[in-house]
């Protein structure tokens, strides 16, 4: 069996947490990249990644990491993307691709694009995958398998077309499905599918923590009643999520406003004992959810 | 190997949906009951349960089902418990146990107790287990394995002590852990661990359904970002959950009020870009969740 050459020769990963280390493992294991060099300002984290053989080489600086890379992937909280891009882009070789894995895309485009010189192809990306854990010791190679990766390139014509195609093949090699859309559309959809659920999860765990202490144990003890699914996301990285909410503020506030209105309508129906209204709503949501899931499976 | 006699000789199950049929399967398989007779006003559902051998015999009426039963278990939406108890209790043999599986306990005690004659032992129960599916075809014998069952008996002294002990052994035989508490305490704890998560799940799916239709597909497509965990509960039985919210109204409104206040504080912090406040809250909830989970595993 002839082994295909890797999609990307040398990959530089800037930020080697859960996502960065998972990309590194997956890229080498599935032939998405031939070699992975990583840099992280947290020396301990970088050393851990190297000890675990999650990366091939630990760089001494951003410039050192990106110098000969064919693709540079920023795997950091979205609030830090601009500063990292400012340090990385001037040191990259012409023709290389600059990408990221941020959960918001409008803000990343706004923060990163001004630092990208001519000759570097900027292709923002968001792999919709993750766990509630943090750090390179929790990364694993199958994290992106069967998940979606969304690309939000400035253009898919001309010189950029080749870069978008390469990014598509890069993520597909790791088992992902790839979609292309505008940053604005991405941020609207993710506000409700991901950002609002995280916001609710942090809130409900906070609400429990403000109850008397003997309740805390009981809530987790009887978590099988529904709380378990809801509290898991609240274990996610605080800095990453602080940045997501601040950098997708408008879309998050819009979805949160709609959700809160709907919740208040339901609250009123409960207070006034409107049985028919409750049953009608629950039937509608159950049926809609079922229809969509069945249609997707068909 | 000598086989132990079943904990309960003849068990009557009134209402043969997901929970009733799971109790029936588990009770016979794990020796919690020797024989299961079931009644359901929905003849089709009763026939399905019999065809699937989920029960031993289909009764022709409530009175027929409970006549010679050692334990009668009402497995119906909590709003229907009072009417079923009124029909069942007078037909039960003296010394038998009347129990239920309702998700609210104060209302069940208020609705059922007035119908319980002297000589019948009333032991309300709530197995904290379930799936988002409904109907006897979705029941399975391991549903209660490793889950908690909460008993809320009027008293655990005198004649009731024997009945509470028997119920404890009944649920333990099916793999459950058993706790005993007051109905009021149960309703407070379950309001936040189970009822509020279901309320939020129904709401967020409703919010999605009110978005433009092309968004519906996308939300489920990218559900791995968090939405999947949140939407699952919205597939649950509408009548069952309508009754839960109406019958645990005060505790649900109290927890919902606290949750909404907390959500609004978070909304304000996002609007005004209060990064430190967001990070502090997310760190607190992550650490608290982690500490409790680790303490429980220790």
């Amino acid at each position: 069996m002839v082994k295909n050459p890797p999609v990307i020769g040398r990959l530089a990963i800037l930020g080697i947490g859960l996502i960065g280390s998972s990309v590194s493992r997956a890229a080498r294991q599935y032939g998405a990249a031939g070699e992975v060099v990583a840099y992280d300002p947290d020396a301990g984290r970088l050393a851990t990644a190297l000890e675990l053989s999650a990366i091939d080489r630990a760089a001494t600086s951003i410039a050192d990491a990106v110098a000969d890379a064919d693709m540079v992937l920023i795997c950091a909280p979205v609030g830090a993307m601009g500063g990292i891009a400012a340090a990385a882009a001037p040191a990259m070789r012409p023709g290389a691709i600059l990408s990221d894995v941020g959960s918001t895309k409008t803000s990343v485009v706004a923060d990163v694009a001004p630092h990208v010189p001519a000759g570097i192809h900027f292709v923002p990306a968001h792999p919709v995958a993750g766990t509630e854990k943090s750090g390179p010791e929790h990364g694993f190679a199958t994290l992106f398998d069967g998940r979606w990766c969304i690309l939000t390139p400035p253009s898919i014509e001309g010189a950029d077309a080749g870069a978008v195609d390469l990014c598509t093949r890069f993520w597909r090699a790791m088992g992902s499905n790839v979609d292309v859309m505008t940053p604005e559309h991405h941020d609207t959809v993710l506000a409700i599918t991901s950002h609002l659920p995280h916001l609710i999860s942090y809130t409900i765990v906070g609400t429990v923590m403000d109850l008397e202490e003997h309740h805390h144990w009981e809530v987790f003890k009887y978590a099988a009643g529904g709380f378990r699914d809801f509290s898991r996301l609240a274990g996610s990285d605080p800095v990453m999520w602080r940045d997501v909410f601040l950098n997708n503020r408008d879309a998050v506030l819009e979805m949160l406003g709609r959700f809160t209105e709907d919740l208040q309508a339901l609250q009123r129906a409960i207070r006034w004992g409107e049985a028919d209204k409750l049953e009608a709503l629950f039937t509608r949501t159950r049926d809609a959810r079922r229809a969509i899931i069945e249609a997707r499976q068909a």
Side-chain angles (χ1 to χ4, degrees), chain A:
Chain A
M1 200 176 109
V2 181
K3 209 175 165 185
N4 289 325
V7 180
I8 301 288
R10 180 177 291 179
L11 172 67
I13 292 183
L14 305 179
I16 196 75
L18 173 79
I19 300 294
S21 75
S22 294
V23 171
S24 181
R25 291 169 204 261
R28 294 189 306 161
Q29 188 162 326
Y30 303 121
E35 186 195 6
V36 177
V37 181
Y39 177 73
D40 196 298
D42 181 333
R45 205 145 69 153
L46 197 53
T48 300
L50 194 61
E51 274 161 32
L52 296 171
S53 300
I55 58 176
D56 293 304
R57 185 167 77 80
T60 55
S61 66
I62 289 180
D64 175 38
V66 308
D68 297 309
D70 301 298
M71 182 194 278
V72 173
L73 196 62
I74 311 180
C75 303
V78 291
M81 296 275 181
I84 295 171
M92 289 172 66
R93 70 158 184 75
I97 293 171
L98 177 62
S99 188
D100 75 296
V101 298
S103 298
T104 68
K105 296 270 65 91
T106 313
S107 75
V108 168
V109 169
D111 293 351
V112 171
H115 303 292
V116 181
I120 301 292
H121 304 288
F122 178 38
V123 183
H126 177 205
V128 186
T131 78
E132 71 280 17
K133 300 208 170 74
S134 312
E137 64 277 23
H138 293 118
F140 54 98
T142 56
L143 180 58
F144 310 104
D145 190 26
R147 300 305 183 88
W148 285 94
C149 181
I150 300 172
L151 306 180
T152 63
S155 136
I156 52 170
E157 286 169 20
D160 286 330
V164 173
D165 179 60
L166 212 56
C167 287
T168 301
R169 290 195 285 129
F170 175 76
W171 285 101
R172 283 195 182 143
M174 298 187 284
S176 292
N177 302 305
V178 176
D179 262 351
V180 175
M181 60 180 72
T182 66
E184 295 74 21
H185 188 75
H186 167 278
D187 285 2
T188 300
V189 172
L190 270 290
I192 187 132
T193 62
S194 177
H195 307 171
L196 185 57
H198 278 81
L199 197 61
I200 291 169
S201 184
Y202 281 122
T203 304
I204 199 169
V205 172
T207 304
V208 167
M209 290 307 136
D210 288 337
L211 297 175
E212 294 165 76
E213 200 167 332
H214 70 271
H215 279 310
H216 301 181
W217 284 79
E218 287 187 309
V219 169
F220 282 86
K221 188 171 175 182
Y222 306 123
F227 187 75
R228 185 172 297 144
D229 284 354
F230 271 59
S231 73
R232 190 182 60 80
L233 301 178
S236 305
D237 187 70
V239 172
M240 171 185 162
W241 283 96
R242 174 200 71 188
D243 281 8
V244 168
F245 297 125
L246 296 179
N247 286 283
N248 194 21
R249 191 177 64 172
D250 293 348
V252 168
L253 289 178
E254 165 67 20
M255 290 303 169
L256 182 55
R258 288 168 179 252
F259 171 78
T260 306
E261 276 173 31
D262 294 345
L263 193 62
Q264 280 166 350
L266 206 46
Q267 182 171 0
R268 191 174 191 285
I270 292 171
R271 190 179 299 282
W272 292 96
E274 297 174 329
D276 293 349
K277 197 179 275 185
L278 293 176
E279 189 181 340
L281 170 67
F282 300 163
T283 303
R284 173 175 174 250
T285 53
R286 182 198 60 182
D287 293 350
R289 180 177 171 278
R290 196 175 285 173
I292 290 173
I293 289 173
E294 279 169 10
R296 283 183 48 77
Q297 285 166 346

